[in-house]
Amino acid sequence: MKPYDGTTDPEEHVAWYRERMEVIPIPTHSKEAYLCKGFDSTLIGSALKWMLNVSPYSITSFAHLINLFNNQFSCSWTFEKIFSDLYRVVQDPHKSLRIFVNKFGREALSIPNIDMEPAVEAFKIGLKKDSPFYEDHVMTPCRRLDEFRSRALRFIRFKEDKEIQRNPPSVIFAMQDLKDKARWPRKGEKSTAWKEKSKWCAYHEDFGHVTEDCIALRKEISYLLGKGYLKEILGRRK
C-alpha cells in the first residue's frame, strides 16, 4: 500500500497499518508507543505535515491518535469517480465551449471502463441548449466522444476565427501583454516594394495582407489557447 497523502480513505490506511504492525513482535508494554511512533513513517504530503504539527505530549494513546487522524481526513479524501458524475458537468452560459469540452474530457478520463453511449448523452445534456453546436448535434448525432470532441473543436475554431476578424487589435494587444510567451514573426529583409500598401498586418507589422486574414496569426492564437492564454479575451463576449 502507498504512503498516505490525505486523498484516500483514512480508515483503510489505519486498517492496513494495524495489519502490518501485527506481524512485528512488539512487547505488550511498549505496543502503544511503537504504534504511535511508527505511524508517521506511513504518511507523506499534507498528512505528514499534519502529523508533525500535532502538539508534543498531546496524544494519550494510539486510539486517540487514530481518532484525531480520522477526524482530520475523513472529509478530505478524494472519492473514486463514477459515471453519474458526468451529468454534473454542464456548460456555463458565460463561458466558452472550449472550457466545457476540456472539463468534460478530464472527467471522462477519470472514470474507469466508461460506457460510450451514455457518455455521449451526458455530453449532449451538458451543452447549452440554445447554442449552434447543440443544434448541429441534434440534427446529426455523434456516436462516440472522440467524434463529439472533433466536431466541437471545429465549432470552437470557427467562433474564435470570427472573434479575431471582429476585433483583431484587441487580440494583438493581449498577445503583447504576454511578452515572451507569444511568438512574433521575424522582420523580413526582402524588399516590400511589390507588396500592396493598402493592406497592413499588425502581427507581421508589414504590408501585404490585413490582420484579419493572417494565417500565421491564427496559428499562433491556437497555440496560445492550447497553453491556456487569451481565453478571457476570446471567451468574454456574450
Side-chain angles (χ1 to χ4, degrees), residues 31-87:
K31 189 170 185 178
E32 286 287 311
Y34 271 95
L35 287 172
C36 292
K37 285 287 186 182
F39 190 63
D40 63 354
S41 66
T42 68
L43 309 177
I44 60 173
S46 59
L48 179 58
K49 184 177 180 180
W50 169 82
M51 184 71 179
L52 295 175
N53 286 328
V54 173
S55 301
Y57 308 109
S58 63
I59 303 299
T60 58
S61 65
F62 183 62
H64 181 207
L65 171 62
I66 294 309
N67 186 48
L68 293 175
F69 175 75
N70 286 335
N71 288 340
Q72 177 69 24
F73 294 104
S74 60
C75 294
S76 64
W77 62 284
T78 304
F79 292 87
E80 182 180 280
K81 294 286 185 180
I82 57 177
F83 184 82
S84 61
D85 291 332
L86 283 181
Y87 290 100

Short mmCIF file of all heavy atoms in Angstrom, two decimals, residues 31-87:
data_model
loop_
_atom_site.label_atom_id
_atom_site.label_comp_id
_atom_site.label_asym_id
_atom_site.label_seq_id
_atom_site.Cartn_x
_atom_site.Cartn_y
_atom_site.Cartn_z
N LYS A 31 3.70 -1.57 23.15
CA LYS A 31 2.95 -1.61 21.89
C LYS A 31 2.36 -0.24 21.53
O LYS A 31 2.45 0.20 20.38
CB LYS A 31 1.84 -2.65 21.99
CG LYS A 31 1.16 -2.90 20.65
CD LYS A 31 0.23 -4.11 20.72
CE LYS A 31 -0.35 -4.42 19.35
NZ LYS A 31 -1.22 -5.61 19.39
N GLU A 32 1.73 0.44 22.50
CA GLU A 32 1.12 1.74 22.22
C GLU A 32 2.15 2.74 21.71
O GLU A 32 1.91 3.47 20.74
CB GLU A 32 0.45 2.28 23.49
CG GLU A 32 -0.84 1.60 23.86
CD GLU A 32 -1.99 1.98 22.94
OE1 GLU A 32 -2.20 3.19 22.70
OE2 GLU A 32 -2.67 1.08 22.43
N ALA A 33 3.30 2.76 22.34
CA ALA A 33 4.35 3.71 21.94
C ALA A 33 4.86 3.40 20.54
O ALA A 33 5.07 4.31 19.73
CB ALA A 33 5.50 3.66 22.95
N TYR A 34 5.06 2.10 20.24
CA TYR A 34 5.52 1.71 18.91
C TYR A 34 4.51 2.08 17.84
O TYR A 34 4.87 2.57 16.75
CB TYR A 34 5.79 0.20 18.87
CG TYR A 34 7.18 -0.19 19.27
CD1 TYR A 34 7.48 -0.56 20.58
CD2 TYR A 34 8.23 -0.19 18.33
CE1 TYR A 34 8.77 -0.91 20.95
CE2 TYR A 34 9.52 -0.55 18.69
CZ TYR A 34 9.79 -0.90 20.00
OH TYR A 34 11.07 -1.25 20.38
N LEU A 35 3.22 1.84 18.12
CA LEU A 35 2.18 2.15 17.15
C LEU A 35 2.13 3.66 16.85
O LEU A 35 2.01 4.07 15.70
CB LEU A 35 0.81 1.69 17.67
CG LEU A 35 0.57 0.17 17.67
CD1 LEU A 35 -0.73 -0.15 18.41
CD2 LEU A 35 0.50 -0.36 16.24
N CYS A 36 2.25 4.47 17.88
CA CYS A 36 2.21 5.92 17.70
C CYS A 36 3.45 6.43 16.98
O CYS A 36 3.36 7.26 16.05
CB CYS A 36 2.06 6.62 19.05
SG CYS A 36 0.46 6.35 19.85
N LYS A 37 4.62 5.93 17.40
CA LYS A 37 5.88 6.40 16.82
C LYS A 37 6.04 6.00 15.36
O LYS A 37 6.58 6.75 14.54
CB LYS A 37 7.06 5.86 17.64
CG LYS A 37 7.28 6.52 18.97
CD LYS A 37 7.85 7.92 18.79
CE LYS A 37 8.22 8.54 20.13
NZ LYS A 37 8.74 9.93 19.94
N GLY A 38 5.57 4.79 15.03
CA GLY A 38 5.76 4.29 13.67
C GLY A 38 4.75 4.80 12.67
O GLY A 38 4.96 4.70 11.46
N PHE A 39 3.66 5.38 13.16
CA PHE A 39 2.58 5.78 12.26
C PHE A 39 3.01 6.87 11.27
O PHE A 39 2.63 6.84 10.10
CB PHE A 39 1.37 6.26 13.07
CG PHE A 39 0.13 6.45 12.25
CD1 PHE A 39 -0.47 5.39 11.59
CD2 PHE A 39 -0.43 7.72 12.11
CE1 PHE A 39 -1.60 5.58 10.82
CE2 PHE A 39 -1.57 7.90 11.34
CZ PHE A 39 -2.17 6.83 10.70
N ASP A 40 3.82 7.82 11.70
CA ASP A 40 4.21 8.92 10.81
C ASP A 40 5.09 8.45 9.65
O ASP A 40 5.21 9.14 8.64
CB ASP A 40 4.89 10.05 11.58
CG ASP A 40 6.19 9.62 12.22
OD1 ASP A 40 6.52 8.41 12.17
OD2 ASP A 40 6.89 10.48 12.79
N SER A 41 5.71 7.27 9.78
CA SER A 41 6.55 6.75 8.69
C SER A 41 5.71 6.29 7.50
O SER A 41 6.25 6.03 6.42
CB SER A 41 7.42 5.60 9.19
OG SER A 41 6.62 4.48 9.54
N THR A 42 4.39 6.19 7.68
CA THR A 42 3.50 5.76 6.60
C THR A 42 2.78 6.94 5.95
O THR A 42 1.90 6.74 5.11
CB THR A 42 2.44 4.77 7.13
OG1 THR A 42 1.54 5.48 8.01
CG2 THR A 42 3.09 3.63 7.88
N LEU A 43 3.16 8.16 6.34
CA LEU A 43 2.48 9.35 5.85
C LEU A 43 3.40 10.19 4.96
O LEU A 43 4.61 10.21 5.16
CB LEU A 43 1.99 10.22 7.02
CG LEU A 43 1.17 9.52 8.11
CD1 LEU A 43 0.83 10.51 9.21
CD2 LEU A 43 -0.09 8.92 7.52
N ILE A 44 2.79 10.91 4.01
CA ILE A 44 3.52 11.86 3.17
C ILE A 44 2.62 13.07 2.93
O ILE A 44 1.44 13.06 3.27
CB ILE A 44 3.93 11.25 1.81
CG1 ILE A 44 2.70 10.78 1.02
CG2 ILE A 44 4.93 10.12 1.99
CD1 ILE A 44 3.01 10.34 -0.40
N GLY A 45 3.19 14.10 2.34
CA GLY A 45 2.40 15.26 1.93
C GLY A 45 1.68 15.95 3.06
O GLY A 45 2.21 16.14 4.16
N SER A 46 0.41 16.29 2.82
CA SER A 46 -0.38 17.02 3.81
C SER A 46 -0.62 16.20 5.07
O SER A 46 -0.73 16.76 6.17
CB SER A 46 -1.72 17.44 3.21
OG SER A 46 -2.46 16.31 2.78
N ALA A 47 -0.69 14.86 4.93
CA ALA A 47 -0.90 14.00 6.10
C ALA A 47 0.32 14.05 7.03
O ALA A 47 0.18 14.16 8.25
CB ALA A 47 -1.17 12.57 5.66
N LEU A 48 1.51 13.99 6.46
CA LEU A 48 2.73 14.06 7.28
C LEU A 48 2.86 15.45 7.91
O LEU A 48 3.26 15.58 9.07
CB LEU A 48 3.95 13.75 6.42
CG LEU A 48 5.30 13.80 7.13
CD1 LEU A 48 5.35 12.84 8.31
CD2 LEU A 48 6.44 13.50 6.14
N LYS A 49 2.52 16.48 7.15
CA LYS A 49 2.58 17.84 7.68
C LYS A 49 1.66 18.00 8.88
O LYS A 49 2.01 18.62 9.89
CB LYS A 49 2.20 18.84 6.59
CG LYS A 49 2.32 20.29 7.01
CD LYS A 49 1.98 21.22 5.86
CE LYS A 49 2.11 22.69 6.30
NZ LYS A 49 1.79 23.61 5.17
N TRP A 50 0.46 17.41 8.78
CA TRP A 50 -0.48 17.45 9.92
C TRP A 50 0.11 16.75 11.13
O TRP A 50 0.05 17.26 12.25
CB TRP A 50 -1.80 16.79 9.51
CG TRP A 50 -2.70 16.55 10.68
CD1 TRP A 50 -3.54 17.45 11.28
CD2 TRP A 50 -2.83 15.33 11.42
NE1 TRP A 50 -4.18 16.88 12.34
CE2 TRP A 50 -3.76 15.57 12.46
CE3 TRP A 50 -2.25 14.08 11.31
CZ2 TRP A 50 -4.12 14.59 13.37
CZ3 TRP A 50 -2.60 13.10 12.23
CH2 TRP A 50 -3.53 13.35 13.24
N MET A 51 0.68 15.57 10.89
CA MET A 51 1.25 14.79 11.99
C MET A 51 2.36 15.54 12.70
O MET A 51 2.46 15.53 13.93
CB MET A 51 1.78 13.45 11.44
CG MET A 51 2.31 12.50 12.49
SD MET A 51 0.98 11.81 13.48
CE MET A 51 1.90 10.74 14.58
N LEU A 52 3.22 16.21 11.93
CA LEU A 52 4.34 16.95 12.52
C LEU A 52 3.88 18.16 13.31
O LEU A 52 4.62 18.65 14.17
CB LEU A 52 5.31 17.39 11.41
CG LEU A 52 6.03 16.26 10.66
CD1 LEU A 52 6.86 16.82 9.52
CD2 LEU A 52 6.90 15.45 11.61
N ASN A 53 2.66 18.63 13.04
CA ASN A 53 2.14 19.79 13.76
C ASN A 53 1.31 19.43 14.98
O ASN A 53 0.80 20.33 15.67
CB ASN A 53 1.29 20.66 12.81
CG ASN A 53 2.14 21.42 11.82
OD1 ASN A 53 3.26 21.81 12.13
ND2 ASN A 53 1.62 21.64 10.62
N VAL A 54 1.14 18.13 15.22
CA VAL A 54 0.42 17.72 16.43
C VAL A 54 1.27 18.10 17.65
O VAL A 54 2.48 17.87 17.69
CB VAL A 54 0.17 16.20 16.42
CG1 VAL A 54 -0.42 15.74 17.75
CG2 VAL A 54 -0.77 15.83 15.27
N SER A 55 0.63 18.72 18.63
CA SER A 55 1.36 19.21 19.80
C SER A 55 2.07 18.07 20.54
O SER A 55 1.48 17.00 20.74
CB SER A 55 0.41 19.91 20.77
OG SER A 55 -0.24 20.99 20.12
N PRO A 56 3.32 18.26 20.93
CA PRO A 56 4.06 17.22 21.67
C PRO A 56 3.35 16.85 22.98
O PRO A 56 2.77 17.71 23.64
CB PRO A 56 5.40 17.90 21.96
CG PRO A 56 5.52 18.98 20.93
CD PRO A 56 4.14 19.45 20.66
N TYR A 57 3.35 15.56 23.28
CA TYR A 57 2.78 15.02 24.51
C TYR A 57 1.26 15.19 24.61
O TYR A 57 0.67 15.04 25.69
CB TYR A 57 3.43 15.66 25.75
CG TYR A 57 4.93 15.61 25.73
CD1 TYR A 57 5.68 16.75 25.54
CD2 TYR A 57 5.62 14.38 25.88
CE1 TYR A 57 7.06 16.72 25.49
CE2 TYR A 57 7.01 14.34 25.84
CZ TYR A 57 7.72 15.51 25.64
OH TYR A 57 9.09 15.47 25.60
N SER A 58 0.60 15.51 23.46
CA SER A 58 -0.85 15.68 23.49
C SER A 58 -1.60 14.39 23.19
O SER A 58 -2.80 14.30 23.41
CB SER A 58 -1.28 16.75 22.49
OG SER A 58 -0.96 16.36 21.16
N ILE A 59 -0.89 13.37 22.66
CA ILE A 59 -1.51 12.09 22.32
C ILE A 59 -1.43 11.16 23.51
O ILE A 59 -0.34 10.88 24.03
CB ILE A 59 -0.82 11.45 21.10
CG1 ILE A 59 -0.85 12.40 19.90
CG2 ILE A 59 -1.48 10.13 20.75
CD1 ILE A 59 -2.22 12.77 19.42
N THR A 60 -2.57 10.66 23.96
CA THR A 60 -2.61 9.80 25.15
C THR A 60 -2.57 8.31 24.80
O THR A 60 -2.21 7.49 25.65
CB THR A 60 -3.88 10.08 25.96
OG1 THR A 60 -5.03 9.87 25.13
CG2 THR A 60 -3.88 11.53 26.45
N SER A 61 -2.93 7.95 23.58
CA SER A 61 -2.94 6.54 23.16
C SER A 61 -3.01 6.47 21.64
O SER A 61 -3.26 7.48 20.97
CB SER A 61 -4.14 5.80 23.77
OG SER A 61 -5.34 6.33 23.24
N PHE A 62 -2.79 5.26 21.11
CA PHE A 62 -2.89 5.08 19.66
C PHE A 62 -4.33 5.32 19.19
O PHE A 62 -4.56 5.90 18.13
CB PHE A 62 -2.42 3.68 19.27
CG PHE A 62 -2.43 3.44 17.79
CD1 PHE A 62 -1.62 4.19 16.95
CD2 PHE A 62 -3.26 2.48 17.23
CE1 PHE A 62 -1.63 3.98 15.57
CE2 PHE A 62 -3.27 2.26 15.87
CZ PHE A 62 -2.46 3.01 15.03
N ALA A 63 -5.29 4.89 20.01
CA ALA A 63 -6.70 5.11 19.67
C ALA A 63 -7.00 6.60 19.59
O ALA A 63 -7.75 7.06 18.72
CB ALA A 63 -7.60 4.44 20.71
N HIS A 64 -6.40 7.37 20.49
CA HIS A 64 -6.57 8.82 20.48
C HIS A 64 -5.99 9.42 19.19
O HIS A 64 -6.60 10.27 18.54
CB HIS A 64 -5.90 9.43 21.72
CG HIS A 64 -6.04 10.91 21.81
ND1 HIS A 64 -5.12 11.70 22.48
CD2 HIS A 64 -6.97 11.76 21.30
CE1 HIS A 64 -5.49 12.97 22.39
NE2 HIS A 64 -6.62 13.03 21.69
N LEU A 65 -4.80 8.96 18.82
CA LEU A 65 -4.15 9.44 17.60
C LEU A 65 -4.99 9.13 16.37
O LEU A 65 -5.20 9.99 15.50
CB LEU A 65 -2.77 8.80 17.46
CG LEU A 65 -2.04 9.02 16.13
CD1 LEU A 65 -1.76 10.51 15.91
CD2 LEU A 65 -0.73 8.24 16.09
N ILE A 66 -5.51 7.90 16.28
CA ILE A 66 -6.30 7.49 15.12
C ILE A 66 -7.61 8.26 15.06
O ILE A 66 -8.10 8.62 13.97
CB ILE A 66 -6.55 5.97 15.14
CG1 ILE A 66 -5.22 5.23 14.98
CG2 ILE A 66 -7.52 5.57 14.05
CD1 ILE A 66 -4.39 5.69 13.80
N ASN A 67 -8.19 8.57 16.21
CA ASN A 67 -9.42 9.34 16.24
C ASN A 67 -9.19 10.75 15.66
O ASN A 67 -9.97 11.24 14.84
CB ASN A 67 -9.95 9.44 17.66
CG ASN A 67 -11.31 10.11 17.72
OD1 ASN A 67 -12.21 9.78 16.97
ND2 ASN A 67 -11.46 11.06 18.63
N LEU A 68 -8.08 11.36 16.05
CA LEU A 68 -7.73 12.67 15.51
C LEU A 68 -7.44 12.59 14.01
O LEU A 68 -7.84 13.46 13.24
CB LEU A 68 -6.49 13.23 16.24
CG LEU A 68 -6.66 13.59 17.73
CD1 LEU A 68 -5.30 14.01 18.31
CD2 LEU A 68 -7.68 14.71 17.89
N PHE A 69 -6.75 11.54 13.61
CA PHE A 69 -6.38 11.33 12.21
C PHE A 69 -7.63 11.17 11.34
O PHE A 69 -7.76 11.81 10.29
CB PHE A 69 -5.50 10.08 12.11
CG PHE A 69 -5.14 9.67 10.72
CD1 PHE A 69 -4.20 10.38 9.99
CD2 PHE A 69 -5.73 8.56 10.13
CE1 PHE A 69 -3.85 9.99 8.69
CE2 PHE A 69 -5.39 8.16 8.85
CZ PHE A 69 -4.45 8.89 8.14
N ASN A 70 -8.57 10.35 11.79
CA ASN A 70 -9.80 10.13 11.02
C ASN A 70 -10.64 11.41 10.93
O ASN A 70 -11.22 11.71 9.88
CB ASN A 70 -10.62 9.01 11.64
CG ASN A 70 -10.03 7.63 11.37
OD1 ASN A 70 -9.32 7.45 10.39
ND2 ASN A 70 -10.31 6.67 12.24
N ASN A 71 -10.71 12.15 12.04
CA ASN A 71 -11.47 13.40 12.04
C ASN A 71 -10.87 14.41 11.07
O ASN A 71 -11.59 15.18 10.43
CB ASN A 71 -11.52 14.00 13.44
CG ASN A 71 -12.42 13.22 14.38
OD1 ASN A 71 -13.29 12.47 13.94
ND2 ASN A 71 -12.21 13.38 15.68
N GLN A 72 -9.53 14.41 10.97
CA GLN A 72 -8.85 15.37 10.11
C GLN A 72 -9.07 15.07 8.63
O GLN A 72 -9.28 15.98 7.82
CB GLN A 72 -7.34 15.36 10.42
CG GLN A 72 -6.51 16.27 9.55
CD GLN A 72 -6.75 17.74 9.80
OE1 GLN A 72 -7.19 18.12 10.89
NE2 GLN A 72 -6.47 18.58 8.82
N PHE A 73 -9.04 13.78 8.26
CA PHE A 73 -9.02 13.43 6.83
C PHE A 73 -10.27 12.71 6.32
O PHE A 73 -10.33 12.39 5.13
CB PHE A 73 -7.78 12.58 6.54
CG PHE A 73 -6.49 13.31 6.73
CD1 PHE A 73 -5.71 13.08 7.85
CD2 PHE A 73 -6.07 14.26 5.80
CE1 PHE A 73 -4.52 13.78 8.05
CE2 PHE A 73 -4.89 14.95 5.98
CZ PHE A 73 -4.11 14.72 7.11
N SER A 74 -11.25 12.49 7.17
CA SER A 74 -12.44 11.75 6.71
C SER A 74 -13.23 12.50 5.65
O SER A 74 -13.91 11.89 4.82
CB SER A 74 -13.36 11.44 7.90
OG SER A 74 -13.78 12.65 8.53
N CYS A 75 -13.15 13.85 5.65
CA CYS A 75 -13.91 14.64 4.67
C CYS A 75 -13.04 15.16 3.53
O CYS A 75 -13.55 15.83 2.62
CB CYS A 75 -14.58 15.83 5.36
SG CYS A 75 -15.85 15.34 6.54
N SER A 76 -11.74 14.90 3.57
CA SER A 76 -10.85 15.48 2.55
C SER A 76 -10.41 14.49 1.49
O SER A 76 -9.86 14.90 0.47
CB SER A 76 -9.60 16.06 3.23
OG SER A 76 -8.85 15.04 3.85
N TRP A 77 -10.65 13.20 1.70
CA TRP A 77 -10.14 12.25 0.72
C TRP A 77 -10.99 12.24 -0.54
O TRP A 77 -12.18 12.51 -0.52
CB TRP A 77 -10.04 10.83 1.31
CG TRP A 77 -11.31 10.18 1.76
CD1 TRP A 77 -12.01 10.43 2.88
CD2 TRP A 77 -12.00 9.12 1.08
NE1 TRP A 77 -13.10 9.62 2.95
CE2 TRP A 77 -13.12 8.80 1.88
CE3 TRP A 77 -11.78 8.42 -0.10
CZ2 TRP A 77 -14.03 7.80 1.52
CZ3 TRP A 77 -12.68 7.42 -0.45
CH2 TRP A 77 -13.79 7.13 0.35
N THR A 78 -10.34 11.97 -1.66
CA THR A 78 -10.96 12.02 -2.97
C THR A 78 -11.71 10.73 -3.27
O THR A 78 -11.13 9.64 -3.22
CB THR A 78 -9.89 12.24 -4.06
OG1 THR A 78 -9.17 13.43 -3.75
CG2 THR A 78 -10.53 12.37 -5.43
N PHE A 79 -13.00 10.84 -3.55
CA PHE A 79 -13.80 9.67 -3.88
C PHE A 79 -13.55 9.26 -5.33
O PHE A 79 -13.29 10.09 -6.18
CB PHE A 79 -15.29 9.97 -3.69
CG PHE A 79 -15.70 10.18 -2.26
CD1 PHE A 79 -15.59 11.43 -1.68
CD2 PHE A 79 -16.16 9.12 -1.50
CE1 PHE A 79 -15.96 11.64 -0.36
CE2 PHE A 79 -16.54 9.31 -0.18
CZ PHE A 79 -16.44 10.58 0.39
N GLU A 80 -13.65 7.98 -5.58
CA GLU A 80 -13.48 7.48 -6.95
C GLU A 80 -14.62 8.00 -7.82
O GLU A 80 -15.78 8.01 -7.43
CB GLU A 80 -13.48 5.95 -6.95
CG GLU A 80 -13.25 5.35 -8.33
CD GLU A 80 -13.24 3.84 -8.30
OE1 GLU A 80 -12.21 3.26 -7.93
OE2 GLU A 80 -14.28 3.25 -8.65
N LYS A 81 -14.26 8.47 -8.99
CA LYS A 81 -15.26 9.00 -9.90
C LYS A 81 -16.18 7.88 -10.39
O LYS A 81 -15.74 6.76 -10.65
CB LYS A 81 -14.58 9.65 -11.11
CG LYS A 81 -13.75 10.88 -10.77
CD LYS A 81 -14.64 12.06 -10.47
CE LYS A 81 -13.81 13.31 -10.26
NZ LYS A 81 -14.67 14.49 -9.98
N ILE A 82 -17.47 8.20 -10.48
CA ILE A 82 -18.44 7.26 -11.03
C ILE A 82 -19.13 7.92 -12.22
O ILE A 82 -19.05 9.14 -12.40
CB ILE A 82 -19.48 6.83 -9.98
CG1 ILE A 82 -20.21 8.06 -9.40
CG2 ILE A 82 -18.82 6.04 -8.87
CD1 ILE A 82 -21.31 7.70 -8.42
N PHE A 83 -19.84 7.13 -13.00
CA PHE A 83 -20.38 7.64 -14.25
C PHE A 83 -21.35 8.79 -14.03
O PHE A 83 -21.40 9.74 -14.82
CB PHE A 83 -21.08 6.52 -15.03
CG PHE A 83 -21.56 6.97 -16.37
CD1 PHE A 83 -20.69 7.03 -17.44
CD2 PHE A 83 -22.87 7.38 -16.56
CE1 PHE A 83 -21.11 7.47 -18.68
CE2 PHE A 83 -23.31 7.82 -17.80
CZ PHE A 83 -22.43 7.86 -18.85
N SER A 84 -22.15 8.75 -12.98
CA SER A 84 -23.14 9.80 -12.75
C SER A 84 -22.50 11.17 -12.56
O SER A 84 -23.17 12.20 -12.72
CB SER A 84 -24.01 9.46 -11.53
OG SER A 84 -23.21 9.35 -10.36
N ASP A 85 -21.19 11.20 -12.25
CA ASP A 85 -20.50 12.49 -12.09
C ASP A 85 -20.48 13.27 -13.41
O ASP A 85 -20.40 14.51 -13.39
CB ASP A 85 -19.06 12.27 -11.61
CG ASP A 85 -19.01 11.76 -10.18
OD1 ASP A 85 -19.93 12.07 -9.42
OD2 ASP A 85 -18.05 11.06 -9.83
N LEU A 86 -20.55 12.57 -14.54
CA LEU A 86 -20.52 13.25 -15.83
C LEU A 86 -21.74 14.16 -16.02
O LEU A 86 -21.67 15.18 -16.70
CB LEU A 86 -20.47 12.24 -16.97
CG LEU A 86 -19.12 11.56 -17.25
CD1 LEU A 86 -19.25 10.61 -18.43
CD2 LEU A 86 -18.05 12.59 -17.53
N TYR A 87 -22.87 13.78 -15.42
CA TYR A 87 -24.08 14.58 -15.58
C TYR A 87 -24.01 15.89 -14.79
O TYR A 87 -24.85 16.77 -14.98
CB TYR A 87 -25.30 13.78 -15.14
CG TYR A 87 -25.63 12.65 -16.08
CD1 TYR A 87 -25.26 11.34 -15.79
CD2 TYR A 87 -26.30 12.88 -17.28
CE1 TYR A 87 -25.54 10.30 -16.66
CE2 TYR A 87 -26.59 11.85 -18.16
CZ TYR A 87 -26.22 10.56 -17.85
OH TYR A 87 -26.49 9.53 -18.73
#
